[in-house]
Each structure stands twice: as structure tokens, then as C-alpha cells.
Amino acid sequence: MRLSVKPGIGLDRADPLGSLVPLAFASAEKGILPDRMIAALAEEGGIRAAYPFAAGQIQPASLDLRLGAIAYRVRASFLPGPGTPVARRIAELKLHEFALTGGAVLETGCVYIVPLIESLALPADIAAATNPKSSTGRLDVFTRVIADETRGFDRIEAGYHGPLYAEISPKTFPVLIREGSRLSQLRLRRGDAVLDAETLRALHARERLVDRAEAVMGEGVAVSVDLSGAITCAGSAARAAGGNANGIVGYRAKRHTAVIEVERRAAYDAADFWEPIAARADKSLILDPDEFYILASTEAVQVPPDYAAEMVPFDPLVGEFRVHYAGFFDPGFGYAGAGGFGSRAVLEVRSREVPFILEHGQIVGRLVYEKMLARPDQLYGSGIGSNYQAQGLKLSKHFRS
């Protein structure tokens, strides 16, 4: 594969790329594409969009995906399967359609399909994965990306040519979206670049990926839940609980709230949407079925500039609860050189059919680290308006601090 890359390009795509420097991958090169390679892939036609990229749409190791102009309410979630385009399944399952140009409310408990502005024409050696953005996950908006003829959500095979669709199902809060809203992000990779256990241990010894010595479990770094109440948190919901942020271990979402407009920042009083959860003497928390919680990791996490990370389940057989809808961690997250000094992983937690007890320090996930193909031009939090650098226990950007 051969791409054209201009070092230090303007990633908001407001200016033409100008003179391009050729880049060719050696056959053994594997890793996640950084910002400038994402821009180059788009310039070469590997990523196609009906409109030019918006400012800030290209992140250090991912691309924000934008909703198109039309949404479809469908009877149920689906996967198209081999030989079937998504459009055919929409036609079979559609209840009604509506425009997003002026904004529209998505109701809880419903399933919607929205064609995305971006489509793909990937080279044969480049695959993609998608995940909800952090702010999407913290609103309990269940979002997955579907491609034509796929057997799975959020995974796009190398060489795929075709459209992309977002499946959206708000679980707790009704949300207002519009054309161009960004709920998902796309990460592009060449080959398998996951660090094996030995390489990960060496990186942890060198860079201290989390703030404890023994952290590596297989091909991942263990992440546990903090129920001590010692993590710093902020916001009106915490103040409403007694004016002191300490002693709060998380937040439980309220039901029957007002609509949240996904484009607005610091627009809502957290106390209208969230109930603070005080620490218990035994440092435990019972997760109620079908309730949504925001918690935080015990560990302060960092992602060095030459790596990207993704949160995955600690044990797929532990199915009583789901942790962390939004799994991507960009290079520079929590990194001291990008203003992080270690950042907590905020955990979006939902119990399933039965009540489930979480204990302080219980391992709930693993961070899997992957090598970047090159260091990004910009790191997470380093002057690009990242919302969650140096975070403790923090709600989404929509709520006032």
C-alpha cells in the first residue's frame, strides 16, 4: 500500500494538502494509523465523505463519524449477513423515517438506523473498528456501526468498499441529534499490532501504564473499580450531595428526564439527570438491573504517544454487567507530556438481568495496547480541546461542573 502524507498537515482540512510526501509501508509494518495517515487515506479516496471533514474530526488515532440527513426507526436491531446490504434490511424493517437536518429527538427504548456521511473504500491491507465516543457512552446511548454484508457490529474487514450506518438506541435519556452529530469514532489498523504479554510488561516497566507495579494480565492491563470514595469528582450533583466531592463513588442515572442535545456543552445541571452514590463502609455497590451507572477506575491510566489502547471485558464469561461502551483511548491519554499525569478510566456500567455486587478493587476490564504505525502529530489533550484529560470521576461534557 502507498499513501501520500504531508507532515504537520492541518487536520481540520480547511486548507488543501499541498505538496505531499510519499509513504509506503513495508510488508512487516503493523499498527494503528495516526492522524496524518487518516487524512492521507481520505485524500487518496479510502475514506469518502459527502462534505469536507469538520474541524477536529480527525483525532490522534481515530476519525469521528458524522450522522447523515435521514434516520430510520426500525423494529429491531439486526446484522445484514453475507450477501445482504444494510439498505435492504432497512427497507424490510423500517417503521418510519424522518429528517435530521433541523434536529430530531430519539426516544429511549427504540432502535434507529442512520446512514453516515462517511463511507469507505479501504485498501486490501487496512481494516477498521468503531466504538462510541466517550460522551456518547456516558449518556448511555447504545451506538454501533454496521457495514454491508457484515456478520458483526463495529468491525469492518480490510478492503471493504461501501457505506456505513449507525445503529442508535438511547437507553436512559432521550437525546436530540442532527445531521453532522458525531456519536461514533473509527480506528484504522494495518495487521495485528496488539502487544503480547512480554512486550506489554516491558512497556509498563518503562512507562508505568497504570499507577501500580503488578498490572499486566495476559495481553492487557487490568482495570479495577474504585468504590472507596477517595477519587476527586466535581459537579453540581456532587455538591447537591453535601458540597464535598470526596466520598462520592459514582452516579446513578435518573429516569424520565428532559431531552439532552448531544451537541451542547456544559448546558445541563447534573442534579437533574444523576443521583450521586456515596461510598459505603464496606466499599461495595449493588448494581440494580436495568440501571445505568458512572464509576471510575482505581488506577490512573496513561497511553504513551506511540501506542493506542482499547478497553475490553476482563472475562467474557462474567456476563452479569457491562462495562465501558466507549473503549478507545488515544495516544497521549493521561500522559504527562500531554497534560495528563495519569487519568482515571471512567466506567459506564449497566447491570443485566439480576442484581450484582461490585467490590472495591474488583477487576472489571482490561486495557489492550496496540502499536501506532507512527506517532501522531497531535496527542490527546495536547491543545486539541480534549474533554477528559486528567479526569477523575467525571460525567460527560454536556453537564456543568
Side-chain angles (χ1 to χ4, degrees), residues 59 64 131-138 182-185 326:
Q59 298 294 312
D64 291 349
N131 239 313
K133 289 175 61 64
S134 294
S135 296
T136 307
R138 295 185 201 194
R182 308 180 206 173
L183 302 185
S184 302
Q185 54 192 346

Side-chain angles (χ1 to χ4, degrees), residues 40-89:
L41 184 61
E43 183 69 16
E44 295 291 321
I47 305 170
R48 300 172 179 176
Y51 312 112
F53 286 165
Q57 189 175 346
I58 298 180
Q59 298 294 312
S62 60
L63 172 72
D64 291 349
L65 298 173
R66 297 170 294 177
L67 300 181
I70 300 292
Y72 301 92
R73 167 86 189 278
V74 294
R75 298 203 307 268
S77 174
F78 65 87
L79 284 168
T84 305
V86 174
R88 184 188 304 170
R89 298 296 286 143

Side-chain angles (χ1 to χ4, degrees), residues 84-152:
T84 305
V86 174
R88 184 188 304 170
R89 298 296 286 143
I90 291 174
E92 295 167 351
L93 297 171
K94 179 179 68 173
L95 296 175
H96 63 91
E97 64 183 76
F98 51 94
L100 297 181
T101 48
V105 173
L106 304 187
E107 303 286 353
T108 59
C110 299
V111 180
Y112 303 88
I113 304 294
V114 181
L116 297 174
I117 290 174
E118 287 75 31
S119 61
L120 298 177
L122 295 177
D125 58 350
I126 300 292
T130 59
N131 239 313
K133 289 175 61 64
S134 294
S135 296
T136 307
R138 295 185 201 194
L139 291 180
D140 199 21
V141 178
F142 190 52
T143 303
R144 303 185 286 192
V145 171
I146 319 172
D148 284 346
E149 303 187 29
T150 186
R151 288 188 173 93

Side-chain angles (χ1 to χ4, degrees), residues 301-322:
V301 174
Q302 72 163 336
V303 183
D306 295 312
Y307 299 87
E310 182 176 0
M311 181 80 80
V312 299
F314 162 62
D315 183 351
L317 298 179
V318 179
E320 286 79 7
F321 62 95
R322 176 188 174 113

Side-chain angles (χ1 to χ4, degrees), residues 28-46:
E29 285 187 286
K30 300 176 181 179
I32 303 294
L33 273 65
D35 44 20
R36 63 183 178 276
M37 292 185 187
I38 296 172
L41 184 61
E43 183 69 16
E44 295 291 321

Side-chain angles (χ1 to χ4, degrees), residues 74-362:
V74 294
R75 298 203 307 268
S77 174
F78 65 87
L79 284 168
T84 305
V86 174
R88 184 188 304 170
R89 298 296 286 143
I90 291 174
E92 295 167 351
L93 297 171
K94 179 179 68 173
L95 296 175
H96 63 91
E97 64 183 76
F98 51 94
L100 297 181
T101 48
V105 173
L106 304 187
E107 303 286 353
T108 59
C110 299
V111 180
Y112 303 88
I113 304 294
V114 181
L116 297 174
I117 290 174
E118 287 75 31
S119 61
L120 298 177
L122 295 177
D125 58 350
I126 300 292
T130 59
N131 239 313
K133 289 175 61 64
S134 294
S135 296
T136 307
R138 295 185 201 194
L139 291 180
D140 199 21
V141 178
F142 190 52
T143 303
R144 303 185 286 192
V145 171
I146 319 172
D148 284 346
E149 303 187 29
T150 186
R151 288 188 173 93
F153 296 103
D154 290 328
R155 293 295 181 266
I156 301 158
E157 293 184 357
Y160 174 76
H161 284 55
L164 299 174
Y165 301 82
E167 177 193 283
I168 308 168
S169 183
K171 298 300 183 184
T172 298
F173 309 121
V175 294
L176 189 151
I177 61 170
R178 60 185 75 247
E179 182 182 15
S181 293
R182 308 180 206 173
L183 302 185
S184 302
Q185 54 192 346
L186 177 126
R187 183 170 279 182
L188 297 144
R189 57 171 53 84
R190 186 175 192 271
D192 182 4
V194 173
L195 303 189
D196 60 30
E198 182 179 352
T199 306
L200 189 60
R201 286 193 191 91
L203 178 64
H204 179 53
R206 187 169 68 250
E207 295 279 7
R208 201 68 164 197
L209 302 176
V210 296
D211 56 351
R212 58 188 175 90
E214 298 298 324
V216 176
M217 299 184 64
E219 293 185 346
V221 172
V223 175
S224 64
V225 63
D226 190 293
L227 297 176
S228 68
I231 292 180
T232 300
C233 59
S236 56
R239 290 193 294 273
N244 189 343
N246 291 328
I248 302 299
V249 300
Y251 299 94
R252 181 189 294 109
K254 293 183 177 182
R255 295 286 187 175
H256 314 297
T257 67
V259 171
I260 295 175
E261 186 172 348
V262 298
E263 303 292 337
R264 300 184 67 186
R265 294 174 180 242
Y268 303 98
D269 187 340
D272 293 335
F273 296 83
W274 300 94
E275 297 174 354
I277 303 171
R280 290 171 49 90
D282 63 0
K283 298 182 181 179
S284 70
L285 174 64
I286 297 178
L287 302 177
D288 292 323
D290 204 33
E291 296 292 333
F292 181 66
Y293 301 83
I294 295 292
L295 305 173
S297 67
T298 309
E299 299 79 12
V301 174
Q302 72 163 336
V303 183
D306 295 312
Y307 299 87
E310 182 176 0
M311 181 80 80
V312 299
F314 162 62
D315 183 351
L317 298 179
V318 179
E320 286 79 7
F321 62 95
R322 176 188 174 113
V323 174
H324 218 72
Y325 293 4
F328 289 164
F329 291 74
D330 272 347
F333 178 86
Y335 189 68
F341 303 102
S343 297
R344 305 288 173 170
V346 168
L347 309 172
E348 304 115 17
V349 180
R350 173 175 282 278
S351 186
R352 298 194 190 274
E353 291 81 6
V354 297
F356 188 81
I357 297 178
L358 284 181
E359 308 282 351
H360 173 68
Q362 182 172 340

